[in-house]
Amino acid sequence: MKLLITGGAGHLGSELIRLTDHEVVATYNNSAPASGVHAYRVDIRRRAEVEALIREVRPDAIINTAYQQSDWATTADGAANVAAAARGARLIQVSSDAVFSGESSPYDELSPPDPVTPYGAAKAAAETAVRVIDPTAVIARTSLVIGGSSPHEQLVHRLAAGEPGSLFTDNIRCPVHVTDLASALLELLESDHAGVAHLAGPEPISRYAMGRLIAERDGIDPAALPRGSGPSDIRLDSTHTQFGLKTTLRGVTEFLRE
């Protein structure tokens, strides 16, 4: 199988490249993937660039991990461009728990999006576009992705060093380890699953409590972490998806204390 990974230089994209046994082609926007795979610099906001890439590469499958939190065109239009150009390739669109408001937590795969942030709205628009263009595609929603040098772990280190900011004690998510997430995505790629899948850890936790676990693991005094308030409770219920997977999506306390 020839697998195209968009956003191949990112945290998740890099882990997918590391784990897969498939022939891989990756795209990037700024810095090329460090893995040495065949990579193309492609702006997925430009449909002509995406279509030209698909015609040249002719992938059997695509995992779209590309996004920009502050850029609607990359997150929403880019996903639509990839889906429209896929030409029958097996497609997984990586989405986010940001498509939910937190008003009706927990959310299972049948819960309709009700975003309250621009990023969440862009991800919800991407889901709709992909679902309409390719009903056989997988919409894989996930939560905070931890492991390696994730942005969340980097933030904990910066805050402990005195950078302004805080970790909210009342902002609840269901973090997932990047290796678990990548393994589950690759498993779904070869399944006949279509539609929404939830790939989050089973343990809800606040950003502050997660930050303390990261600090303890890395030898940082947890007392150095500033706390704040920003109420938001978005728990993805991944029970249904997990039932059909061999990959175990571990809880955050488990994988941070291993």
PDB file of all heavy atoms in Angstrom, residues 24-65:
ATOM      1  N   VAL A  24       5.562   5.168   2.153  1.00  0.00           N
ATOM      2  CA  VAL A  24       5.019   6.450   2.600  1.00  0.00           C
ATOM      3  C   VAL A  24       5.515   7.597   1.731  1.00  0.00           C
ATOM      4  O   VAL A  24       6.696   7.685   1.393  1.00  0.00           O
ATOM      5  CB  VAL A  24       5.396   6.741   4.073  1.00  0.00           C
ATOM      6  CG1 VAL A  24       4.910   8.128   4.490  1.00  0.00           C
ATOM      7  CG2 VAL A  24       4.787   5.689   4.991  1.00  0.00           C
ATOM      8  N   VAL A  25       4.575   8.473   1.391  1.00  0.00           N
ATOM      9  CA  VAL A  25       4.874   9.785   0.832  1.00  0.00           C
ATOM     10  C   VAL A  25       4.235  10.793   1.763  1.00  0.00           C
ATOM     11  O   VAL A  25       3.124  10.576   2.259  1.00  0.00           O
ATOM     12  CB  VAL A  25       4.311   9.929  -0.596  1.00  0.00           C
ATOM     13  CG1 VAL A  25       4.533  11.343  -1.119  1.00  0.00           C
ATOM     14  CG2 VAL A  25       4.932   8.903  -1.528  1.00  0.00           C
ATOM     15  N   ALA A  26       4.940  11.878   2.054  1.00  0.00           N
ATOM     16  CA  ALA A  26       4.430  12.857   3.017  1.00  0.00           C
ATOM     17  C   ALA A  26       4.404  14.253   2.395  1.00  0.00           C
ATOM     18  O   ALA A  26       5.168  14.536   1.458  1.00  0.00           O
ATOM     19  CB  ALA A  26       5.287  12.866   4.276  1.00  0.00           C
ATOM     20  N   THR A  27       3.543  15.092   2.917  1.00  0.00           N
ATOM     21  CA  THR A  27       3.571  16.506   2.560  1.00  0.00           C
ATOM     22  C   THR A  27       3.974  17.320   3.774  1.00  0.00           C
ATOM     23  O   THR A  27       3.837  16.881   4.919  1.00  0.00           O
ATOM     24  CB  THR A  27       2.204  17.007   2.063  1.00  0.00           C
ATOM     25  OG1 THR A  27       1.290  17.101   3.180  1.00  0.00           O
ATOM     26  CG2 THR A  27       1.626  16.095   0.992  1.00  0.00           C
ATOM     27  N   TYR A  28       4.479  18.505   3.507  1.00  0.00           N
ATOM     28  CA  TYR A  28       4.820  19.436   4.584  1.00  0.00           C
ATOM     29  C   TYR A  28       4.598  20.844   4.081  1.00  0.00           C
ATOM     30  O   TYR A  28       4.476  21.089   2.871  1.00  0.00           O
ATOM     31  CB  TYR A  28       6.266  19.229   5.040  1.00  0.00           C
ATOM     32  CG  TYR A  28       7.310  19.584   3.997  1.00  0.00           C
ATOM     33  CD1 TYR A  28       7.920  20.838   4.000  1.00  0.00           C
ATOM     34  CD2 TYR A  28       7.679  18.665   3.012  1.00  0.00           C
ATOM     35  CE1 TYR A  28       8.868  21.168   3.041  1.00  0.00           C
ATOM     36  CE2 TYR A  28       8.626  18.985   2.068  1.00  0.00           C
ATOM     37  CZ  TYR A  28       9.221  20.239   2.076  1.00  0.00           C
ATOM     38  OH  TYR A  28      10.158  20.562   1.133  1.00  0.00           O
ATOM     39  N   ASN A  29       4.573  21.787   5.027  1.00  0.00           N
ATOM     40  CA  ASN A  29       4.364  23.183   4.677  1.00  0.00           C
ATOM     41  C   ASN A  29       5.640  23.999   4.832  1.00  0.00           C
ATOM     42  O   ASN A  29       6.062  24.693   3.921  1.00  0.00           O
ATOM     43  CB  ASN A  29       3.250  23.787   5.540  1.00  0.00           C
ATOM     44  CG  ASN A  29       2.870  25.189   5.096  1.00  0.00           C
ATOM     45  OD1 ASN A  29       3.038  25.534   3.934  1.00  0.00           O
ATOM     46  ND2 ASN A  29       2.358  25.996   6.007  1.00  0.00           N
ATOM     47  N   ASN A  30       6.297  23.874   5.993  1.00  0.00           N
ATOM     48  CA  ASN A  30       7.509  24.647   6.248  1.00  0.00           C
ATOM     49  C   ASN A  30       8.761  23.777   6.261  1.00  0.00           C
ATOM     50  O   ASN A  30       9.604  23.871   5.385  1.00  0.00           O
ATOM     51  CB  ASN A  30       7.372  25.402   7.574  1.00  0.00           C
ATOM     52  CG  ASN A  30       6.290  26.456   7.523  1.00  0.00           C
ATOM     53  OD1 ASN A  30       6.191  27.199   6.547  1.00  0.00           O
ATOM     54  ND2 ASN A  30       5.466  26.537   8.562  1.00  0.00           N
ATOM     55  N   SER A  31       8.878  22.896   7.272  1.00  0.00           N
ATOM     56  CA  SER A  31      10.064  22.053   7.401  1.00  0.00           C
ATOM     57  C   SER A  31       9.740  20.630   6.962  1.00  0.00           C
ATOM     58  O   SER A  31       8.698  20.081   7.326  1.00  0.00           O
ATOM     59  CB  SER A  31      10.546  22.044   8.855  1.00  0.00           C
ATOM     60  OG  SER A  31      10.866  23.361   9.277  1.00  0.00           O
ATOM     61  N   ALA A  32      10.638  20.042   6.192  1.00  0.00           N
ATOM     62  CA  ALA A  32      10.432  18.673   5.709  1.00  0.00           C
ATOM     63  C   ALA A  32      10.516  17.684   6.859  1.00  0.00           C
ATOM     64  O   ALA A  32      11.195  17.938   7.861  1.00  0.00           O
ATOM     65  CB  ALA A  32      11.477  18.333   4.648  1.00  0.00           C
ATOM     66  N   PRO A  33       9.824  16.544   6.770  1.00  0.00           N
ATOM     67  CA  PRO A  33       9.921  15.513   7.805  1.00  0.00           C
ATOM     68  C   PRO A  33      11.370  15.066   7.999  1.00  0.00           C
ATOM     69  O   PRO A  33      12.144  14.982   7.035  1.00  0.00           O
ATOM     70  CB  PRO A  33       9.065  14.372   7.248  1.00  0.00           C
ATOM     71  CG  PRO A  33       8.144  15.015   6.269  1.00  0.00           C
ATOM     72  CD  PRO A  33       8.903  16.165   5.681  1.00  0.00           C
ATOM     73  N   ALA A  34      11.723  14.790   9.237  1.00  0.00           N
ATOM     74  CA  ALA A  34      13.094  14.401   9.556  1.00  0.00           C
ATOM     75  C   ALA A  34      13.373  12.950   9.238  1.00  0.00           C
ATOM     76  O   ALA A  34      14.506  12.506   9.336  1.00  0.00           O
ATOM     77  CB  ALA A  34      13.372  14.675  11.033  1.00  0.00           C
ATOM     78  N   SER A  35      12.365  12.192   8.867  1.00  0.00           N
ATOM     79  CA  SER A  35      12.501  10.750   8.699  1.00  0.00           C
ATOM     80  C   SER A  35      13.192  10.339   7.410  1.00  0.00           C
ATOM     81  O   SER A  35      13.578   9.192   7.253  1.00  0.00           O
ATOM     82  CB  SER A  35      11.116  10.101   8.750  1.00  0.00           C
ATOM     83  OG  SER A  35      10.317  10.646   7.713  1.00  0.00           O
ATOM     84  N   GLY A  36      13.334  11.256   6.463  1.00  0.00           N
ATOM     85  CA  GLY A  36      13.953  10.916   5.195  1.00  0.00           C
ATOM     86  C   GLY A  36      13.013  10.303   4.170  1.00  0.00           C
ATOM     87  O   GLY A  36      13.466   9.836   3.119  1.00  0.00           O
ATOM     88  N   VAL A  37      11.709  10.275   4.440  1.00  0.00           N
ATOM     89  CA  VAL A  37      10.761   9.755   3.453  1.00  0.00           C
ATOM     90  C   VAL A  37      10.649  10.730   2.287  1.00  0.00           C
ATOM     91  O   VAL A  37      11.051  11.890   2.372  1.00  0.00           O
ATOM     92  CB  VAL A  37       9.367   9.537   4.075  1.00  0.00           C
ATOM     93  CG1 VAL A  37       9.423   8.555   5.205  1.00  0.00           C
ATOM     94  CG2 VAL A  37       8.758  10.858   4.517  1.00  0.00           C
ATOM     95  N   HIS A  38      10.102  10.238   1.185  1.00  0.00           N
ATOM     96  CA  HIS A  38       9.873  11.100   0.027  1.00  0.00           C
ATOM     97  C   HIS A  38       8.794  12.117   0.395  1.00  0.00           C
ATOM     98  O   HIS A  38       7.664  11.744   0.701  1.00  0.00           O
ATOM     99  CB  HIS A  38       9.427  10.257  -1.165  1.00  0.00           C
ATOM    100  CG  HIS A  38       9.530  10.982  -2.468  1.00  0.00           C
ATOM    101  ND1 HIS A  38       9.232  10.389  -3.668  1.00  0.00           N
ATOM    102  CD2 HIS A  38       9.917  12.256  -2.765  1.00  0.00           C
ATOM    103  CE1 HIS A  38       9.416  11.261  -4.644  1.00  0.00           C
ATOM    104  NE2 HIS A  38       9.821  12.399  -4.118  1.00  0.00           N
ATOM    105  N   ALA A  39       9.154  13.393   0.391  1.00  0.00           N
ATOM    106  CA  ALA A  39       8.233  14.424   0.861  1.00  0.00           C
ATOM    107  C   ALA A  39       8.090  15.538  -0.173  1.00  0.00           C
ATOM    108  O   ALA A  39       9.044  15.872  -0.885  1.00  0.00           O
ATOM    109  CB  ALA A  39       8.721  15.002   2.183  1.00  0.00           C
ATOM    110  N   TYR A  40       6.880  16.096  -0.225  1.00  0.00           N
ATOM    111  CA  TYR A  40       6.562  17.190  -1.138  1.00  0.00           C
ATOM    112  C   TYR A  40       6.105  18.394  -0.318  1.00  0.00           C
ATOM    113  O   TYR A  40       5.306  18.244   0.615  1.00  0.00           O
ATOM    114  CB  TYR A  40       5.416  16.790  -2.079  1.00  0.00           C
ATOM    115  CG  TYR A  40       5.722  15.697  -3.055  1.00  0.00           C
ATOM    116  CD1 TYR A  40       5.716  14.363  -2.649  1.00  0.00           C
ATOM    117  CD2 TYR A  40       5.986  15.986  -4.393  1.00  0.00           C
ATOM    118  CE1 TYR A  40       5.975  13.341  -3.549  1.00  0.00           C
ATOM    119  CE2 TYR A  40       6.242  14.968  -5.300  1.00  0.00           C
ATOM    120  CZ  TYR A  40       6.230  13.649  -4.874  1.00  0.00           C
ATOM    121  OH  TYR A  40       6.478  12.636  -5.769  1.00  0.00           O
ATOM    122  N   ARG A  41       6.580  19.551  -0.704  1.00  0.00           N
ATOM    123  CA  ARG A  41       6.065  20.771  -0.088  1.00  0.00           C
ATOM    124  C   ARG A  41       4.794  21.171  -0.822  1.00  0.00           C
ATOM    125  O   ARG A  41       4.826  21.532  -2.009  1.00  0.00           O
ATOM    126  CB  ARG A  41       7.089  21.902  -0.160  1.00  0.00           C
ATOM    127  CG  ARG A  41       6.647  23.141   0.615  1.00  0.00           C
ATOM    128  CD  ARG A  41       7.775  24.148   0.747  1.00  0.00           C
ATOM    129  NE  ARG A  41       7.398  25.231   1.629  1.00  0.00           N
ATOM    130  CZ  ARG A  41       8.234  26.177   2.038  1.00  0.00           C
ATOM    131  NH1 ARG A  41       9.505  26.163   1.628  1.00  0.00           N
ATOM    132  NH2 ARG A  41       7.820  27.124   2.850  1.00  0.00           N
ATOM    133  N   VAL A  42       3.671  21.082  -0.120  1.00  0.00           N
ATOM    134  CA  VAL A  42       2.359  21.314  -0.731  1.00  0.00           C
ATOM    135  C   VAL A  42       1.534  22.197   0.195  1.00  0.00           C
ATOM    136  O   VAL A  42       1.486  21.969   1.403  1.00  0.00           O
ATOM    137  CB  VAL A  42       1.619  19.978  -0.985  1.00  0.00           C
ATOM    138  CG1 VAL A  42       0.193  20.227  -1.452  1.00  0.00           C
ATOM    139  CG2 VAL A  42       2.370  19.135  -1.995  1.00  0.00           C
ATOM    140  N   ASP A  43       0.888  23.190  -0.382  1.00  0.00           N
ATOM    141  CA  ASP A  43      -0.051  24.031   0.361  1.00  0.00           C
ATOM    142  C   ASP A  43      -1.443  23.469   0.108  1.00  0.00           C
ATOM    143  O   ASP A  43      -1.998  23.639  -0.988  1.00  0.00           O
ATOM    144  CB  ASP A  43       0.048  25.478  -0.128  1.00  0.00           C
ATOM    145  CG  ASP A  43      -0.806  26.443   0.695  1.00  0.00           C
ATOM    146  OD1 ASP A  43      -1.709  25.965   1.429  1.00  0.00           O
ATOM    147  OD2 ASP A  43      -0.582  27.661   0.604  1.00  0.00           O
ATOM    148  N   ILE A  44      -2.003  22.774   1.106  1.00  0.00           N
ATOM    149  CA  ILE A  44      -3.288  22.102   0.866  1.00  0.00           C
ATOM    150  C   ILE A  44      -4.437  23.096   0.722  1.00  0.00           C
ATOM    151  O   ILE A  44      -5.551  22.699   0.363  1.00  0.00           O
ATOM    152  CB  ILE A  44      -3.604  21.053   1.953  1.00  0.00           C
ATOM    153  CG1 ILE A  44      -3.832  21.704   3.321  1.00  0.00           C
ATOM    154  CG2 ILE A  44      -2.530  19.982   2.015  1.00  0.00           C
ATOM    155  CD1 ILE A  44      -4.381  20.723   4.339  1.00  0.00           C
ATOM    156  N   ARG A  45      -4.179  24.372   0.982  1.00  0.00           N
ATOM    157  CA  ARG A  45      -5.208  25.384   0.728  1.00  0.00           C
ATOM    158  C   ARG A  45      -5.409  25.599  -0.764  1.00  0.00           C
ATOM    159  O   ARG A  45      -6.428  26.166  -1.180  1.00  0.00           O
ATOM    160  CB  ARG A  45      -4.818  26.708   1.385  1.00  0.00           C
ATOM    161  CG  ARG A  45      -4.727  26.643   2.902  1.00  0.00           C
ATOM    162  CD  ARG A  45      -4.170  27.925   3.476  1.00  0.00           C
ATOM    163  NE  ARG A  45      -2.809  28.180   3.004  1.00  0.00           N
ATOM    164  CZ  ARG A  45      -2.068  29.216   3.373  1.00  0.00           C
ATOM    165  NH1 ARG A  45      -2.563  30.109   4.216  1.00  0.00           N
ATOM    166  NH2 ARG A  45      -0.848  29.366   2.901  1.00  0.00           N
ATOM    167  N   ARG A  46      -4.453  25.153  -1.569  1.00  0.00           N
ATOM    168  CA  ARG A  46      -4.500  25.350  -3.023  1.00  0.00           C
ATOM    169  C   ARG A  46      -4.899  24.031  -3.687  1.00  0.00           C
ATOM    170  O   ARG A  46      -4.105  23.092  -3.748  1.00  0.00           O
ATOM    171  CB  ARG A  46      -3.142  25.833  -3.532  1.00  0.00           C
ATOM    172  CG  ARG A  46      -2.685  27.128  -2.869  1.00  0.00           C
ATOM    173  CD  ARG A  46      -1.332  27.573  -3.407  1.00  0.00           C
ATOM    174  NE  ARG A  46      -0.840  28.741  -2.717  1.00  0.00           N
ATOM    175  CZ  ARG A  46      -1.180  29.998  -2.997  1.00  0.00           C
ATOM    176  NH1 ARG A  46      -2.045  30.230  -3.982  1.00  0.00           N
ATOM    177  NH2 ARG A  46      -0.678  31.005  -2.315  1.00  0.00           N
ATOM    178  N   ARG A  47      -6.122  23.985  -4.184  1.00  0.00           N
ATOM    179  CA  ARG A  47      -6.642  22.728  -4.711  1.00  0.00           C
ATOM    180  C   ARG A  47      -5.798  22.206  -5.863  1.00  0.00           C
ATOM    181  O   ARG A  47      -5.576  20.994  -5.980  1.00  0.00           O
ATOM    182  CB  ARG A  47      -8.098  22.899  -5.173  1.00  0.00           C
ATOM    183  CG  ARG A  47      -8.686  21.636  -5.783  1.00  0.00           C
ATOM    184  CD  ARG A  47     -10.175  21.710  -5.941  1.00  0.00           C
ATOM    185  NE  ARG A  47     -10.846  21.748  -4.658  1.00  0.00           N
ATOM    186  CZ  ARG A  47     -12.168  21.655  -4.512  1.00  0.00           C
ATOM    187  NH1 ARG A  47     -12.940  21.508  -5.580  1.00  0.00           N
ATOM    188  NH2 ARG A  47     -12.716  21.710  -3.324  1.00  0.00           N
ATOM    189  N   ALA A  48      -5.301  23.095  -6.715  1.00  0.00           N
ATOM    190  CA  ALA A  48      -4.514  22.651  -7.862  1.00  0.00           C
ATOM    191  C   ALA A  48      -3.248  21.925  -7.409  1.00  0.00           C
ATOM    192  O   ALA A  48      -2.841  20.931  -8.029  1.00  0.00           O
ATOM    193  CB  ALA A  48      -4.146  23.844  -8.744  1.00  0.00           C
ATOM    194  N   GLU A  49      -2.622  22.400  -6.322  1.00  0.00           N
ATOM    195  CA  GLU A  49      -1.422  21.734  -5.814  1.00  0.00           C
ATOM    196  C   GLU A  49      -1.753  20.343  -5.285  1.00  0.00           C
ATOM    197  O   GLU A  49      -1.004  19.384  -5.500  1.00  0.00           O
ATOM    198  CB  GLU A  49      -0.772  22.569  -4.709  1.00  0.00           C
ATOM    199  CG  GLU A  49      -0.104  23.838  -5.194  1.00  0.00           C
ATOM    200  CD  GLU A  49       0.712  24.506  -4.092  1.00  0.00           C
ATOM    201  OE1 GLU A  49       1.185  23.797  -3.177  1.00  0.00           O
ATOM    202  OE2 GLU A  49       0.866  25.746  -4.146  1.00  0.00           O
ATOM    203  N   VAL A  50      -2.870  20.240  -4.588  1.00  0.00           N
ATOM    204  CA  VAL A  50      -3.265  18.946  -4.036  1.00  0.00           C
ATOM    205  C   VAL A  50      -3.594  17.964  -5.157  1.00  0.00           C
ATOM    206  O   VAL A  50      -3.169  16.800  -5.137  1.00  0.00           O
ATOM    207  CB  VAL A  50      -4.467  19.109  -3.087  1.00  0.00           C
ATOM    208  CG1 VAL A  50      -4.916  17.754  -2.553  1.00  0.00           C
ATOM    209  CG2 VAL A  50      -4.117  20.045  -1.930  1.00  0.00           C
ATOM    210  N   GLU A  51      -4.343  18.421  -6.149  1.00  0.00           N
ATOM    211  CA  GLU A  51      -4.714  17.536  -7.253  1.00  0.00           C
ATOM    212  C   GLU A  51      -3.483  17.085  -8.039  1.00  0.00           C
ATOM    213  O   GLU A  51      -3.390  15.908  -8.438  1.00  0.00           O
ATOM    214  CB  GLU A  51      -5.707  18.247  -8.162  1.00  0.00           C
ATOM    215  CG  GLU A  51      -7.076  18.435  -7.504  1.00  0.00           C
ATOM    216  CD  GLU A  51      -8.063  19.145  -8.415  1.00  0.00           C
ATOM    217  OE1 GLU A  51      -7.618  19.776  -9.399  1.00  0.00           O
ATOM    218  OE2 GLU A  51      -9.271  19.071  -8.135  1.00  0.00           O
ATOM    219  N   ALA A  52      -2.533  17.990  -8.248  1.00  0.00           N
ATOM    220  CA  ALA A  52      -1.312  17.618  -8.960  1.00  0.00           C
ATOM    221  C   ALA A  52      -0.530  16.561  -8.179  1.00  0.00           C
ATOM    222  O   ALA A  52       0.018  15.612  -8.757  1.00  0.00           O
ATOM    223  CB  ALA A  52      -0.450  18.859  -9.205  1.00  0.00           C
ATOM    224  N   LEU A  53      -0.474  16.707  -6.876  1.00  0.00           N
ATOM    225  CA  LEU A  53       0.228  15.730  -6.038  1.00  0.00           C
ATOM    226  C   LEU A  53      -0.431  14.357  -6.125  1.00  0.00           C
ATOM    227  O   LEU A  53       0.254  13.334  -6.303  1.00  0.00           O
ATOM    228  CB  LEU A  53       0.233  16.204  -4.586  1.00  0.00           C
ATOM    229  CG  LEU A  53       0.778  15.197  -3.564  1.00  0.00           C
ATOM    230  CD1 LEU A  53       2.285  15.052  -3.733  1.00  0.00           C
ATOM    231  CD2 LEU A  53       0.428  15.627  -2.145  1.00  0.00           C
ATOM    232  N   ILE A  54      -1.749  14.318  -6.005  1.00  0.00           N
ATOM    233  CA  ILE A  54      -2.461  13.032  -6.041  1.00  0.00           C
ATOM    234  C   ILE A  54      -2.268  12.353  -7.394  1.00  0.00           C
ATOM    235  O   ILE A  54      -2.067  11.132  -7.468  1.00  0.00           O
ATOM    236  CB  ILE A  54      -3.958  13.230  -5.748  1.00  0.00           C
ATOM    237  CG1 ILE A  54      -4.170  13.835  -4.353  1.00  0.00           C
ATOM    238  CG2 ILE A  54      -4.714  11.908  -5.880  1.00  0.00           C
ATOM    239  CD1 ILE A  54      -3.730  12.969  -3.219  1.00  0.00           C
ATOM    240  N   ARG A  55      -2.307  13.130  -8.467  1.00  0.00           N
ATOM    241  CA  ARG A  55      -2.094  12.549  -9.800  1.00  0.00           C
ATOM    242  C   ARG A  55      -0.698  11.947  -9.917  1.00  0.00           C
ATOM    243  O   ARG A  55      -0.516  10.883 -10.532  1.00  0.00           O
ATOM    244  CB  ARG A  55      -2.296  13.610 -10.886  1.00  0.00           C
ATOM    245  CG  ARG A  55      -3.739  13.969 -11.172  1.00  0.00           C
ATOM    246  CD  ARG A  55      -3.865  14.707 -12.485  1.00  0.00           C
ATOM    247  NE  ARG A  55      -3.099  15.961 -12.481  1.00  0.00           N
ATOM    248  CZ  ARG A  55      -3.586  17.126 -12.101  1.00  0.00           C
ATOM    249  NH1 ARG A  55      -4.858  17.214 -11.690  1.00  0.00           N
ATOM    250  NH2 ARG A  55      -2.839  18.209 -12.132  1.00  0.00           N
ATOM    251  N   GLU A  56       0.299  12.619  -9.329  1.00  0.00           N
ATOM    252  CA  GLU A  56       1.664  12.121  -9.418  1.00  0.00           C
ATOM    253  C   GLU A  56       1.907  10.920  -8.506  1.00  0.00           C
ATOM    254  O   GLU A  56       2.495   9.920  -8.916  1.00  0.00           O
ATOM    255  CB  GLU A  56       2.649  13.232  -9.064  1.00  0.00           C
ATOM    256  CG  GLU A  56       4.107  12.777  -9.093  1.00  0.00           C
ATOM    257  CD  GLU A  56       5.096  13.883  -8.812  1.00  0.00           C
ATOM    258  OE1 GLU A  56       4.684  15.067  -8.814  1.00  0.00           O
ATOM    259  OE2 GLU A  56       6.278  13.569  -8.586  1.00  0.00           O
ATOM    260  N   VAL A  57       1.435  11.009  -7.258  1.00  0.00           N
ATOM    261  CA  VAL A  57       1.739   9.979  -6.266  1.00  0.00           C
ATOM    262  C   VAL A  57       0.839   8.751  -6.424  1.00  0.00           C
ATOM    263  O   VAL A  57       1.267   7.629  -6.214  1.00  0.00           O
ATOM    264  CB  VAL A  57       1.619  10.566  -4.844  1.00  0.00           C
ATOM    265  CG1 VAL A  57       1.747   9.484  -3.780  1.00  0.00           C
ATOM    266  CG2 VAL A  57       2.661  11.653  -4.628  1.00  0.00           C
ATOM    267  N   ARG A  58      -0.428   8.979  -6.745  1.00  0.00           N
ATOM    268  CA  ARG A  58      -1.431   7.919  -6.880  1.00  0.00           C
ATOM    269  C   ARG A  58      -1.460   7.025  -5.635  1.00  0.00           C
ATOM    270  O   ARG A  58      -1.232   5.819  -5.699  1.00  0.00           O
ATOM    271  CB  ARG A  58      -1.161   7.093  -8.137  1.00  0.00           C
ATOM    272  CG  ARG A  58      -1.239   7.906  -9.415  1.00  0.00           C
ATOM    273  CD  ARG A  58      -0.927   7.073 -10.631  1.00  0.00           C
ATOM    274  NE  ARG A  58      -1.935   6.029 -10.820  1.00  0.00           N
ATOM    275  CZ  ARG A  58      -1.844   5.107 -11.779  1.00  0.00           C
ATOM    276  NH1 ARG A  58      -0.822   5.082 -12.602  1.00  0.00           N
ATOM    277  NH2 ARG A  58      -2.800   4.193 -11.898  1.00  0.00           N
ATOM    278  N   PRO A  59      -1.759   7.615  -4.479  1.00  0.00           N
ATOM    279  CA  PRO A  59      -1.762   6.831  -3.234  1.00  0.00           C
ATOM    280  C   PRO A  59      -2.955   5.893  -3.164  1.00  0.00           C
ATOM    281  O   PRO A  59      -4.013   6.149  -3.736  1.00  0.00           O
ATOM    282  CB  PRO A  59      -1.860   7.906  -2.156  1.00  0.00           C
ATOM    283  CG  PRO A  59      -2.618   9.019  -2.813  1.00  0.00           C
ATOM    284  CD  PRO A  59      -2.143   9.019  -4.246  1.00  0.00           C
ATOM    285  N   ASP A  60      -2.759   4.802  -2.436  1.00  0.00           N
ATOM    286  CA  ASP A  60      -3.871   3.902  -2.143  1.00  0.00           C
ATOM    287  C   ASP A  60      -4.664   4.385  -0.934  1.00  0.00           C
ATOM    288  O   ASP A  60      -5.835   4.031  -0.772  1.00  0.00           O
ATOM    289  CB  ASP A  60      -3.342   2.490  -1.856  1.00  0.00           C
ATOM    290  CG  ASP A  60      -2.550   1.928  -3.018  1.00  0.00           C
ATOM    291  OD1 ASP A  60      -3.124   1.770  -4.099  1.00  0.00           O
ATOM    292  OD2 ASP A  60      -1.336   1.672  -2.840  1.00  0.00           O
ATOM    293  N   ALA A  61      -4.003   5.147  -0.070  1.00  0.00           N
ATOM    294  CA  ALA A  61      -4.647   5.628   1.163  1.00  0.00           C
ATOM    295  C   ALA A  61      -4.039   6.977   1.552  1.00  0.00           C
ATOM    296  O   ALA A  61      -2.895   7.278   1.210  1.00  0.00           O
ATOM    297  CB  ALA A  61      -4.463   4.616   2.285  1.00  0.00           C
ATOM    298  N   ILE A  62      -4.837   7.751   2.276  1.00  0.00           N
ATOM    299  CA  ILE A  62      -4.409   9.084   2.717  1.00  0.00           C
ATOM    300  C   ILE A  62      -4.838   9.270   4.165  1.00  0.00           C
ATOM    301  O   ILE A  62      -5.992   8.977   4.529  1.00  0.00           O
ATOM    302  CB  ILE A  62      -5.055  10.199   1.865  1.00  0.00           C
ATOM    303  CG1 ILE A  62      -4.725  10.015   0.382  1.00  0.00           C
ATOM    304  CG2 ILE A  62      -4.615  11.575   2.355  1.00  0.00           C
ATOM    305  CD1 ILE A  62      -5.526  10.934  -0.531  1.00  0.00           C
ATOM    306  N   ILE A  63      -3.936   9.769   4.994  1.00  0.00           N
ATOM    307  CA  ILE A  63      -4.300  10.226   6.338  1.00  0.00           C
ATOM    308  C   ILE A  63      -3.999  11.712   6.389  1.00  0.00           C
ATOM    309  O   ILE A  63      -2.834  12.122   6.263  1.00  0.00           O
ATOM    310  CB  ILE A  63      -3.518   9.482   7.443  1.00  0.00           C
ATOM    311  CG1 ILE A  63      -3.766   7.979   7.371  1.00  0.00           C
ATOM    312  CG2 ILE A  63      -3.930  10.017   8.820  1.00  0.00           C
ATOM    313  CD1 ILE A  63      -3.008   7.168   8.419  1.00  0.00           C
ATOM    314  N   ASN A  64      -5.030  12.506   6.553  1.00  0.00           N
ATOM    315  CA  ASN A  64      -4.861  13.963   6.580  1.00  0.00           C
ATOM    316  C   ASN A  64      -4.724  14.441   8.020  1.00  0.00           C
ATOM    317  O   ASN A  64      -5.704  14.489   8.763  1.00  0.00           O
ATOM    318  CB  ASN A  64      -6.037  14.668   5.904  1.00  0.00           C
ATOM    319  CG  ASN A  64      -5.859  16.177   5.913  1.00  0.00           C
ATOM    320  OD1 ASN A  64      -4.733  16.675   5.901  1.00  0.00           O
ATOM    321  ND2 ASN A  64      -6.959  16.914   5.936  1.00  0.00           N
ATOM    322  N   THR A  65      -3.506  14.780   8.406  1.00  0.00           N
ATOM    323  CA  THR A  65      -3.259  15.297   9.756  1.00  0.00           C
ATOM    324  C   THR A  65      -3.026  16.804   9.742  1.00  0.00           C
ATOM    325  O   THR A  65      -2.811  17.401  10.795  1.00  0.00           O
ATOM    326  CB  THR A  65      -2.021  14.627  10.390  1.00  0.00           C
ATOM    327  OG1 THR A  65      -0.829  15.141   9.773  1.00  0.00           O
ATOM    328  CG2 THR A  65      -2.061  13.122  10.231  1.00  0.00           C
TER     329      THR A  65
END
